[in-house]
Amino acid sequence: MSRITPRVMGGLAILLALLLVAPALLGGYGLSVLILVLYFAYVGQAWNIMMGFAGQLSLGHALYAGLGGYMAAGLYFHYGIGPWAGMFVGVAAAVAAAAVVGYLGFRFSLAGVYFALLTIAFAEFTRIGFDNWPWTGESGGMFLRVERGVTDVANLRGGPVLFYYVILFLAVAAFVLCRLLLESRLGRYWLAIREDAEAAQAVGVPVLKCKMLAVTISAALTALAGVWNAFYYNNLFPETAFAMGRSIEITLAPIIGGLGTLFGPFVGAVVLTGLGEIFTAVGDKLDIPGIKQVFYGLALLVIVMYRPAGIWPWLAARLGIK
């Protein structure tokens, strides 16, 4: 865990100041890219709590984002209930689902790839259910009303700048929360469980309780991202909201940036989003279908092969940050 030294604090303060004024400095395209960076950094931080801190592999986190988004969007679409109230329902639904997944997995001692398969199965079951539920629009999807030129914070209706500041707040709050969690007794318990759950159990660590807390906290934060995502894009489809690809996207930033680190998800999000935009531009210019996916995959392969611990630990060593 990196120490937050005065030098690091100063750098973070400058970075935050730049992020606060970014909408005034960037054009529409630049702002949209920065929004993606912050979104992937946030969801990566949420997933990092479960895998990076507590060592519990989940490949079905789209379940929690989808539940959060669908519950808040559905309440707004059908009953006019604003997203700030609807997000509590979405978070509650995600936490309840996480509690079921976690209890079934941990109670029957599923770990590693077997627990990951359980998370995938629940996401797939939910996708099938929502694909046939009239309240969610079934496979035809749910579309939220768009009011151009109107900024309505109460109903989270507005342009990219509004959503930028919301995701910036979430990303900063998640960073602070993760720092506090790591410094707490619970955070130390998580690290002990990640290294050796049996040894942790032997010295009195309440392993089941700590694992359940990791799953539910991670799910709650991911559900908030789902609410933001639903109102930012104004549409939801079960095929994409609960897709395996969505779950994989959530995991990439902390894996590339550095699992179990505070700065890893942010570094990973910058690298991944930057590569994605570069390869998209190259593919469009050369008019070669699929070139983005090929080079994107190759770039990720190189990073994983040569920096298996992630980019941030290597970068921190070069910068003299311990």
Side-chain angles (χ1 to χ4, degrees):
M1 180 174 61
S2 300
R3 292 173 52 230
I4 306 295
T5 62
R7 182 161 69 103
V8 174
M9 283 294 296
L12 289 175
I14 294 173
L15 176 60
L16 180 59
L18 290 174
L19 289 173
L20 287 172
V21 300
L25 304 176
L26 298 175
Y29 173 73
L31 185 62
S32 67
V33 172
L34 190 52
I35 287 173
L36 285 179
V37 169
L38 292 173
Y39 171 77
F40 285 119
Y42 173 75
V43 293
Q45 198 76 271
W47 184 79
N48 199 32
I49 291 175
M50 189 168 169
M51 178 60 189
F53 298 172
Q56 308 306 307
L57 177 60
S58 170
L59 296 178
H61 251 51
L63 168 65
Y64 312 126
L67 284 174
Y70 259 112
M71 292 300 103
L75 290 173
Y76 178 73
F77 180 83
H78 290 289
Y79 313 115
I81 298 174
W84 302 110
M87 72 177 182
F88 290 103
V89 178
V91 168
V95 168
V100 172
V101 174
Y103 184 78
L104 289 176
F106 303 141
R107 182 66 180 80
F108 294 100
S109 301
L110 297 181
V113 67
Y114 299 104
F115 181 75
L117 289 173
L118 179 67
T119 64
I120 294 172
F122 267 84
E124 184 64 10
F125 294 155
T126 308
R127 181 194 67 77
I128 295 171
F130 277 53
D131 216 21
N132 295 277
W133 188 12
W135 192 79
T136 64
E138 300 177 314
S139 59
M142 179 182 293
F143 298 86
L144 301 182
R145 184 180 69 255
V146 177
E147 298 179 5
R148 300 193 181 280
V150 175
T151 299
D152 182 2
V153 178
N155 289 309
L156 207 55
R157 303 284 77 199
V161 174
L162 171 63
F163 286 93
Y164 170 79
Y165 282 114
V166 173
I167 196 63
L168 174 61
F169 171 80
L170 289 175
V172 172
F175 179 88
V176 174
L177 175 63
C178 287
R179 178 67 186 181
L180 294 175
L181 287 172
L182 278 178
E183 292 181 335
S184 68
R185 176 179 294 182
L186 176 61
R188 294 184 175 88
Y189 282 168
W190 281 341
L191 297 181
I193 292 168
R194 183 188 69 186
E195 297 304 319
D196 192 328
E198 292 185 0
Q201 182 84 54
V203 297
V205 174
V207 173
L208 178 60
K209 178 182 177 182
C210 291
K211 286 182 177 181
M212 290 296 293
L213 285 171
V215 173
T216 51
I217 292 172
S218 181
L221 294 177
T222 305
L224 291 177
V227 176
W228 179 91
N229 191 73
F231 283 81
Y232 180 57
Y233 290 104
N234 299 307
N235 61 72
L236 284 163
F237 297 91
E239 287 290 338
T240 54
F242 300 102
M244 180 68 180
R246 179 67 59 85
S247 293
I248 296 300
E249 285 181 346
I250 291 173
T251 71
L252 287 177
I255 291 175
I256 298 302
L259 272 176
T261 66
L262 285 173
F263 295 100
F266 288 89
V267 173
V270 171
V271 171
L272 290 169
T273 306
L275 286 175
E277 293 303 314
I278 290 171
F279 293 140
T280 296
V282 171
D284 291 342
K285 186 174 183 179
L286 299 179
D287 195 24
I288 301 177
I291 191 174
K292 172 187 174 182
Q293 287 74 16
V294 172
F295 281 98
Y296 196 65
L298 288 174
L300 296 182
L301 180 62
V302 169
I303 292 172
V304 171
M305 286 178 60
Y306 292 98
R307 293 288 174 258
I311 296 174
W312 172 249
W314 171 82
L315 184 61
R318 294 295 183 277
L319 295 175
I321 300 173
K322 304 298 183 181

